[in-house]
């Protein structure tokens, strides 16, 4: 009798373990549609796990397009050590749909995918070594701009590289490449003469006190202003790839236009992309605060505007103050602000700008992109560049439609 009871208990335990094992996975279909009349390459797809509600701690995911696995990544965006989003990129012909299968699992995975992006943030020590860090927070009265190697987070795709200044300017600066590939891990934004001889790219823009390429600024009614005074300034990298990298700049208690703002600017770069998606978050809904962004007015440049949120610049100048060792660089810049956030098109001494507002909201977005004349794969005339950014805006306004079928 005891033996029979023991056998039944074992069977029940076995069933319980099996049921529990089944509960640690969840599969569902995702339909991704391209409603645009042109093909999309490396189109970003983002799935919020809160909308899936998997009922277990997700530690890995697999995305299948039929029998082909699509590289993907899980990202923890709020620092609670649990993933918030699943991201991947997919190619979509014009006017097409693809249905992929996503499987979430509580089991960890040691699977790796080819890197499509790279990111790093480094602190320099007294011995001249560069120590990797994920996040740094300082009082608003401190200045560690020169203690941060390449002055803040740097990140790249195969096509381009960016860095974010760790100071009140929070400028977006750019690094142009001759050839597609990754360079920042080796050059750390400052290529040696030997690396330059091997065909490495380099810094291609002298940003000074401008907004560089699409850095968010304050607006005093006549000109752009820096993000000051603040109680704290934090810069961090929260995603390192393989599909996308995400960097953030956060300030607390920004004394601005009669308000005290806690603001986070999030920069997301996907593999296969030269453009960056910029999101701005606030802790509380905005009132009548007005901000601005755009592109630097490069000395002697030509500009383009559609007067509906798209602004571009094409110009040539020295990228650094050393005009003996370095040659002038030619770049094309572009910033796009969705029209619902645009208040006015303006100009100051350093920049072509739009002012931005989002009364009653805690969020707005814009997008930035650039090309360098260095590129063997890029654009060689202002006409070609301005035509490209017009099409870029149109593509951004026709994102893939993502439908989760639970």
């Amino acid at each position: 009798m005891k033996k029979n009871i023991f056998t039944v208990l074992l069977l029940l335990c076995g069933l319980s373990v099996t049921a529990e094992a089944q509960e640690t996975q969840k599969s569902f279909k995702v339909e991704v549609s391209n409603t645009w009349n042109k093909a999309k390459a490396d189109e970003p797809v983002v799935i919020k796990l809160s909308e899936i509600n998997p009922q277990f701690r997700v530690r890995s995911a697999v995305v299948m397009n039929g029998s082909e696995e699509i590289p993907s990544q899980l990202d923890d965006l709020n620092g609670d050590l649990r993933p918030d989003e699943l991201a991947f990129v997919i190619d979509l012909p014009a006017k097409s749909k693809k249905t992929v299968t996503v499987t979430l699992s509580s089991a960890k995975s040691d699977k790796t995918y080819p890197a499509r992006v790279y990111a790093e943030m480094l602190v320099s020590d007294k011995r001249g070594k560069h120590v990797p860090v994920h996040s740094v927070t300082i009082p608003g009265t401190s200045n560690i701009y020169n203690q941060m190697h390449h002055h803040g987070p740097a990140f790249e795709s195969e096509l381009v590289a960016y860095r974010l200044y760790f100071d009140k300017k929070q400028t977006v600066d750019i690094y142009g490449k001759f050839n597609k590939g990754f360079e920042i891990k080796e050059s750390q934004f400052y290529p040696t003469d030997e690396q330059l001889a091997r065909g490495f790219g380099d810094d291609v823009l002298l940003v000074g006190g401008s907004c560089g390429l699409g850095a968010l600024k304050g607006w005093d009614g006549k000109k752009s202003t820096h993000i000051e005074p603040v109680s704290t300034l934090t810069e961090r990298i929260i995603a390192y790839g393989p599909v996308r990298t995400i960097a953030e700049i956060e300030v607390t208690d920004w004394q601005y236009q009669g308000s005290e703002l806690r603001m986070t600017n999030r920069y997301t770069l996907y593999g296969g992309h030269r453009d960056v998606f910029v999101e701005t978050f606030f802790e509380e809904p905005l009132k009548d605060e007005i901000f601005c962004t755009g592109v630097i007015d490069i000395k002697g440049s030509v500009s383009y505007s559609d007067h509906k949120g798209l602004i571009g610049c094409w110009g040539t100048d020295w990228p650094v103050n050393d005009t003996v060792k370095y040659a002038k660089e030619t770049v094309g810049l572009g910033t796009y602000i969705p029209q619902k956030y645009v208040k006015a098109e303006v100009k100051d001494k350093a920049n072509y700008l739009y002012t931005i507002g989002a009364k009653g909201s805690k969020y707005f977005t814009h997008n930035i992109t650039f090309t360098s004349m260095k590129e063997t794969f890029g654009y060689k005339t202002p006409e070609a560049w301005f035509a490209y950014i017009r099409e870029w805006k149109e593509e951004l306004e026709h994102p893939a439609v993502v439908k989760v079928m639970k």
Side-chain angles (χ1 to χ4, degrees):
M1 183 65 179
K2 289 182 178 178
K3 183 177 180 181
N4 289 340
I5 292 173
F6 184 68
T7 302
V8 170
L9 288 172
L10 282 175
L11 288 171
L12 288 173
C13 288
L15 289 171
S16 175
V17 170
T18 301
E20 185 179 347
Q22 291 173 344
E23 289 174 2
T24 60
Q25 282 196 352
K26 182 170 185 176
S27 295
F28 53 93
K29 302 286 188 182
V30 178
E31 181 183 86
V32 186
S33 305
N34 178 13
T35 61
W36 199 34
N37 58 9
K38 296 181 182 179
K40 287 175 168 282
D42 291 317
E43 177 70 3
V45 178
V46 177
I47 298 168
K48 295 185 181 298
L49 298 190
S50 61
E51 297 175 1
I52 305 302
N53 193 22
Q55 300 293 317
F56 57 86
R57 184 173 181 178
V58 177
R59 289 183 172 87
S60 63
V62 174
V63 180
M64 297 296 297
N65 178 23
S67 59
E68 174 193 8
E69 183 175 358
I70 298 176
S72 62
Q73 73 184 63
L74 291 163
D75 292 322
D76 169 20
L77 303 180
N78 59 10
D80 67 355
L81 304 181
R82 294 176 180 271
D84 300 293
E85 292 182 351
L86 172 69
F88 58 93
V89 294
I90 191 169
D91 294 338
L92 296 167
K95 297 286 186 178
S96 69
K97 293 181 181 180
K98 287 186 178 180
T99 300
V100 301
T101 301
V102 176
T103 301
L104 305 176
S105 174
S106 62
K108 292 183 179 180
S109 173
D110 58 1
K111 183 183 299 183
T112 59
Y113 302 109
R116 301 288 308 279
V117 292
Y118 176 77
E120 66 180 24
M121 185 162 63
L122 308 169
V123 175
S124 299
D125 66 17
K126 292 181 179 179
R127 294 169 291 180
K129 294 185 177 180
H130 307 311
V131 182
V133 292
H134 295 302
S135 178
V136 177
T137 299
I138 60 172
T141 52
S142 296
N143 183 352
I144 62 168
Y145 177 82
N146 289 318
Q147 282 73 49
M148 304 298 299
H149 189 65
H150 45 62
H151 303 308
F155 49 92
E156 66 179 328
S157 68
E158 305 99 313
L159 307 177
V160 291
Y162 296 82
R163 63 176 168 179
L164 308 175
Y165 281 1
F166 202 130
D167 65 3
K168 64 185 180 182
K169 294 184 293 185
Q170 299 183 17
T171 318
V172 181
D173 196 13
I174 56 177
Y175 176 110
K177 304 180 184 183
F178 286 100
N179 303 298
K180 294 181 181 180
F182 296 104
E183 300 184 11
I184 299 304
K185 184 176 183 179
E186 186 176 348
S187 77
Q188 296 187 336
F189 224 92
Y190 303 111
T192 63
D193 291 344
E194 184 272 333
Q195 289 168 340
L196 291 171
R198 284 196 281 130
F200 270 54
D202 205 348
D203 185 350
V204 290
L205 186 64
L206 182 62
V207 296
S210 74
C211 73
L213 173 57
L216 188 73
K217 296 287 188 178
W219 178 252
D220 71 0
K222 295 182 178 180
K223 65 181 184 303
S224 62
T225 61
H226 300 320
I227 311 301
E228 62 174 340
V230 301
S231 290
T232 63
L233 168 62
T234 300
E235 299 204 8
R236 64 175 73 94
I237 299 173
I238 59 176
Y240 289 81
V243 175
R244 66 179 182 177
T245 178
I246 304 174
E248 288 186 341
I249 305 175
E250 179 183 351
V251 296
T252 61
D253 301 334
W254 179 20
Q255 306 298 317
Y256 183 66
Q257 294 185 358
S259 296
E260 193 172 82
L261 304 177
R262 180 170 186 166
M263 180 180 74
T264 301
N265 293 312
R266 178 179 293 168
Y267 294 83
T268 303
L269 173 64
Y270 286 87
H273 283 247
R274 64 171 65 247
D275 60 324
V276 171
F277 178 44
V278 187
E279 300 170 274
T280 303
F281 302 86
F282 298 90
E283 187 175 47
E284 297 178 350
L286 291 168
K287 298 188 280 294
D288 294 311
E289 301 90 348
I290 298 296
F291 311 90
C292 69
T293 192
V295 295
I296 182 176
D297 177 1
I298 301 170
K299 185 178 179 180
S301 65
V302 292
S303 66
Y304 169 82
S305 173
D306 70 353
H307 313 297
K308 297 179 181 179
L310 180 67
I311 190 75
C313 176
W314 179 277
T316 303
D317 199 1
W318 278 283
V320 293
N321 292 320
D322 184 347
T323 61
V324 176
K325 180 178 178 181
Y326 295 91
K328 287 185 174 182
E329 299 281 357
T330 300
V331 298
L333 311 175
T335 294
Y336 164 64
I337 303 106
Q339 195 168 1
K340 62 182 177 180
Y341 304 127
V342 171
K343 296 302 179 183
E345 185 172 357
V346 295
K347 175 97 174 58
D348 67 10
K349 185 177 180 180
N351 307 286
Y352 301 103
L353 300 164
Y354 284 97
T355 55
I356 299 173
K359 186 174 183 177
S361 178
K362 297 192 286 187
Y363 177 82
F364 57 76
T365 69
H366 68 285
N367 302 74
I368 58 178
T369 192
F370 81 92
T371 189
S372 164
M373 185 69 88
K374 289 179 180 295
E375 297 171 356
T376 57
F377 50 88
Y379 302 85
K380 301 302 180 185
T381 66
E383 293 79 13
W385 176 245
F386 296 149
Y388 167 76
I389 63 171
R390 286 193 294 270
E391 184 169 321
W392 170 62
K393 173 184 175 178
E394 186 179 358
E395 182 172 7
L396 290 172
E397 292 181 341
H398 293 84
V401 178
V402 180
K403 181 180 179 182
V404 176
M405 297 177 284
K406 300 179 184 178

